[in-house]
Amino acid sequence: QVQLVESGGGLVQPGGSLSLSCEALGTIFSINGMGWYRQAPGKERELVARSTSGGSTNYADSVKGRFTIHRENAMNTMYLQMNSLKPEDTAVYYCNAVGYDIRYEVFDVWGQGTQVTVSS
């Protein structure tokens, strides 16, 4: 069984910075992709940033140049550094991981979500 544990988030003023982390725990053989998604009230969940095991990344246009995703593969941990935050970044942020467990079965799991609020 694989689970994701998120930390970070909170309240920050516009222009400020926050960092999120996500650790994958359990019977993991390999993680192919890890990513961050967010969901604002009344809106659908959307991709923020994603990273593959090969190191390639992609970002939503709305966060390019402000957010950075980073993976520590050896620790099965992923980070999201968020700079120059805007009120429209306010949302619940979720991490996601896709990979294989030790029985070579695919897993596709989500974290519990962490609230990010950007407000003065």
Side-chain angles (χ1 to χ4, degrees):
Q1 185 175 0
V2 178
Q3 62 176 348
L4 303 180
V5 178
E6 299 180 29
S7 62
L11 173 64
V12 66
Q13 292 186 345
S17 298
L18 279 176
S19 180
L20 306 180
S21 64
C22 174
E23 182 179 14
L25 302 172
T27 54
I28 299 167
F29 176 73
S30 66
I31 298 177
N32 295 347
M34 294 187 80
W36 290 97
Y37 294 74
R38 66 187 181 187
Q39 188 167 19
K43 295 187 177 181
E44 294 185 353
R45 189 173 298 188
E46 63 176 2
L47 172 71
V48 176
R50 194 157 186 89
S51 172
T52 69
S53 58
S56 63
T57 58
N58 64 291
Y59 295 88
D61 288 342
S62 59
V63 307
K64 284 180 180 177
R66 300 187 297 122
F67 291 11
T68 302
I69 188 172
H70 174 68
R71 285 177 61 177
E72 293 284 352
N73 289 330
M75 302 297 292
N76 290 331
T77 302
M78 171 180 66
Y79 305 92
L80 184 69
Q81 178 63 40
M82 305 182 291
N83 299 325
S84 302
L85 282 159
K86 304 175 181 180
E88 50 264 44
D89 294 318
T90 296
V92 178
Y93 284 68
Y94 299 90
C95 64
N96 170 261
V98 178
Y100 293 91
D101 65 18
I102 60 174
R103 297 173 296 178
Y104 303 107
E105 294 181 354
V106 174
F107 64 83
D108 183 348
V109 294
W110 293 85
Q112 77 277 13
T114 186
Q115 177 71 44
V116 172
T117 302
V118 185
S119 175
S120 55

